[in-house]
Amino acid sequence: MLHSTFTTDGQALQWTGDGEYLRIEPWGTDSIRVRSSQMHEPEDPDWALLHDHHEPAEAVRISIDDQQGQATIINGSLMVKAQASDGVYGGSGYTEPKCLLSFWRADGKLLFSEMNDGGSLNLRARSFTPIVGGDHQVKVTFVPPENERLYGMGEYQQNIMNLKGCTLELAHRNSQISIPFVVSSCGYGFLWNNPAVGSVSFGKNKTQWSADSTRQIDYWVTAGADYRSIMAHYANATGHAPQMPEWGLGFWQSKLRYWNQDQLLEVAREFKKRNIPLDLIVIDFFHWPHMGDFRFEDEFWPDPVSMSNELRKMGIRLMVSVWPQIALTSENYPEMKAKNLLVRADHGEDLGMMFEGPSQFYDATNPRARQYVWEKCREHYADVGVDAFWLDEAEPEYGTYDFSNYRYWAGPAQQTANLYPREYNKGFYEGQLAYGRQGQIVNLTRCAWAGSQQYGALVWSGDVASTFEAFRAQITCAIHMGMAGIPWFTTDLGGFHDGDIDDPTFRELLLRWAQFSCFSPVMRNHGDRSQHHPDGTTKTAITTAQGERRLPSGASNEPWSYGKSVEDIYVKFIKIREHLRPYLRELFAQAHEDGQPLIRGLFYEFPNDDAASDIADEYMLGPDLLVAPVVEEGARSRQVYLPGDATTQWQDLRDGAMYNGGRTITAEAPLDTLPVFARDSRNHELLGIL
């Protein structure tokens, strides 16, 4: 007699056995959430999934066959089958109840299944390893389609398109963004709804997700007829990006770092004098007295109101860098420490980082800490005319990534660390909404997690090197970030580290990167250029009137800083960006309404073209434009694959030449241009300006 019992709770299917509580329930259109816990009912933490998941009653069907130990739950086009067993295992000598899940399209196509017990191997698809005195390390193992292709998961600095065969760390680092959502070419999306530090392995024989420490297993599966429907389901489940304001569509100027008010305004005036379009300019870090003061220092930034007013009259928005570190010397440290608004180290000195002095991160998972920091930034930045915030260090970037040593309001970092960047952005977004910035919120951030898109997060790829190798990886990073549900993505144009403004190789890289950036969601210039000089005469750090050290400012990084020939090409693409505005508005609207990425792998628009499935050095900007950046030093031509078939027409937007799809061509690419093709002659208004 089978003793394992299925029950229903509203629209959910439940199973219990051997200390496990398993809950399977509809969660959005064509989607199902699975939770499993040991010795307690499954919990409903505020992780990635939104809670307003209303299903039409007619879309959900549950059937239970107690005699066979089988149950089925169907939500639209997704079906989960549960098979229970409770035989006596000879090794232990007692009954071991089990329940195995498999995921199907409602039309009967198997998508994937949990790993079976392997007979005498006695394996467990859902494995709970107890942590002495605490919770569990968990692993969930699935049998995937052997030939599926996988996309998403955020940003890992690798030039790999199909993630099948990859093992990835589920943790954030500077230039690594772990967003645990993956999309399969076989018609499903999978979200690991857990912010714990862990890993995932997409093997040929199995897919295995693990969390180093957690309260429960929690994941979400959606089915879709195509990539578009899967991404729309995911946006509905985790949140939609807001509308991008008009000033997000143009060119953004930044460097490391404008060190005083006069320098910043002179640069802005020079853009206007040279008739170079500019939508936003950035004041980077260490414009403050101490990290965590969240305000301008008076000596170098004496009148922020007049500065922001002058910029606004020129049609230029102002962004200011905010770091989450609170230096021990900060005027806010004693109060924040007393009110438990900081991250806490479990062992040793209570520090998170030593860059430019000891500091600890504010605890963005604590709603009171988010409110405290926003109020400081509202008073000292928003009230004096700052339009947007650069939320740097958002991972956060610990001096040593010892995740087990830190504890948040939300729980131990080992269990909750990946949530930090989303909550960091949430605090500013909600503050800006209350401040009346509806429809005007864009905050640049170096990290994200599932759901960050709903908080106006423009994610950039971190402090990457100024090399062609790093440049190539930004294409795959952009594509995978879009497939992980983050449509707003940008990079440091030219890379961040060590670009020598007098080096011909770097100048070439800069121009090739500018061409890529022009055809990206946001065209943004930034970098720590070599030849550091804070005031044009010395390479040492700046000293304040009080004798305090300030960081060097880095070499000049404006388009005219690289000589006339570079400036001409650079400005050409800034002006091409202006021609792209109508198309970009359409794409940002698609991202807002349906969760569609702006940068798309060729596979996205041409899923039936196997030759397009693994191409990592081309991409689609929306449905119409194929962009082929030049990613090899010295190259003046490149091979371009044109996806589709003979019925697909591609027009070279430089000379108007027409080509059929399903073929590879050699495209000329002198330094002042890059290959861009319009699908079926769309976007013809760009013809000839490249």
Side-chain angles (χ1 to χ4, degrees), residues 265 303-316 318 384-385:
L265 289 173
D303 193 354
V305 173
S306 68
M307 174 181 65
S308 60
N309 285 342
E310 181 175 347
L311 291 171
R312 189 64 63 91
K313 288 176 182 177
M314 289 188 282
I316 301 170
L318 177 62
V384 301

Side-chain angles (χ1 to χ4, degrees), residues 217-293:
I217 292 166
D218 191 343
Y219 62 86
W220 175 86
V221 180
T222 190
D226 52 27
Y227 293 120
R228 285 178 175 80
S229 59
I230 292 172
M231 298 309 297
H233 292 341
Y234 179 74
N236 290 338
T238 62
H240 288 246
Q243 287 280 15
M244 174 65 77
E246 186 67 24
W247 51 267
L249 307 184
F251 180 68
W252 293 16
Q253 173 61 32
S254 180
K255 63 163 282 185
L256 187 113
R257 62 186 178 91
Y258 296 119
W259 67 281
N260 67 23
Q261 183 172 320
D262 290 339
Q263 186 187 37
L264 182 88
L265 289 173
E266 282 302 317
V267 168
R269 294 166 189 149
E270 189 67 18
F271 268 89
K272 291 302 174 183
K273 178 181 176 182
R274 293 172 181 262
N275 195 30
I276 302 174
L278 179 63
D279 276 19
L280 179 140
I281 196 165
V282 181
I283 299 173
D284 202 351
F285 63 178
F286 288 90
H287 62 266
W288 46 69
H290 301 95
M291 283 194 299
D293 287 349

Side-chain angles (χ1 to χ4, degrees), residues 195-224:
V197 174
S199 65
V200 61
S201 178
F202 297 117
K204 183 176 182 179
N205 61 333
K206 64 183 180 182
T207 293
Q208 186 172 85
W209 297 83
S210 69
D212 292 350
S213 177
T214 190
R215 293 275 295 166
Q216 66 184 21
I217 292 166
D218 191 343
Y219 62 86
W220 175 86
V221 180
T222 190

Side-chain angles (χ1 to χ4, degrees), residues 97-211:
K98 297 179 181 179
C99 182
L100 193 68
L101 305 181
S102 55
F103 297 80
W104 306 70
R105 290 188 59 85
D107 61 11
K109 175 188 175 183
L110 176 64
L111 297 174
F112 63 94
S113 63
E114 288 185 327
M115 174 191 68
N116 63 35
D117 62 9
S120 297
L121 296 174
N122 197 31
L123 303 173
R124 292 272 184 168
R126 300 183 300 277
S127 168
F128 291 84
T129 301
I131 298 170
V132 176
D135 295 311
H136 293 85
Q137 180 190 57
V138 304
K139 293 181 180 178
V140 186
T141 308
F142 301 99
V143 178
E146 182 177 344
N147 297 317
E148 70 178 342
R149 298 181 292 271
L150 299 173
Y151 310 103
M153 292 302 298
E155 172 188 294
Y156 294 84
Q157 295 295 332
Q158 55 187 24
N159 190 31
I160 297 173
M161 183 54 62
N162 179 8
L163 296 177
K164 191 73 168 181
C166 290
T167 296
L168 305 174
E169 179 188 38
L170 301 180
H172 304 312
R173 299 171 184 264
N174 183 344
S175 75
Q176 175 174 296
I177 303 171
S178 175
I179 303 175
F181 178 64
V182 68
V183 179
S184 169
S185 60
C186 289
Y188 70 88
F190 183 101
L191 169 69
W192 180 248
N193 185 39
N194 192 324
V197 174
S199 65
V200 61
S201 178
F202 297 117
K204 183 176 182 179
N205 61 333
K206 64 183 180 182
T207 293
Q208 186 172 85
W209 297 83
S210 69

Side-chain angles (χ1 to χ4, degrees), residues 240-249 252 317 387-388 428-443 454-457 488 585 588 592:
H240 288 246
Q243 287 280 15
M244 174 65 77
E246 186 67 24
W247 51 267
L249 307 184
W252 293 16
R317 302 280 178 150
D387 300 287
F428 277 77
Y429 183 79
E430 291 181 342
Q432 289 165 291
L433 278 183
Y435 195 68
R437 293 285 175 83
Q438 177 72 38
Q440 296 295 314
I441 301 174
V442 183
N443 292 321
Q454 67 188 298
Y455 299 122
W488 295 7
R585 286 190 206 105
F588 278 114
H592 168 64

Side-chain angles (χ1 to χ4, degrees), residues 468-532:
F468 275 93
E469 180 181 8
F471 175 37
R472 285 192 293 275
Q474 303 319 296
I475 300 173
T476 48
C477 286
I479 293 169
H480 286 306
M481 283 291 286
M483 294 303 291
I486 306 293
W488 295 7
F489 182 79
T490 186
T491 63
D492 287 349
L493 193 162
F496 179 75
H497 287 297
D498 301 327
D500 184 340
I501 67 173
D502 293 326
D503 179 8
T505 298
F506 176 69
R507 291 184 174 191
E508 178 182 352
L509 173 67
L510 183 83
L511 290 177
R512 293 307 193 189
W513 210 309
Q515 294 162 5
F516 164 68
S517 191
C518 174
F519 291 91
S520 296
V522 170
M523 186 179 187
R524 167 182 157 272
N525 182 27
H526 183 66
D528 183 8
R529 304 304 177 225
S530 62
Q531 303 175 337
H532 292 287

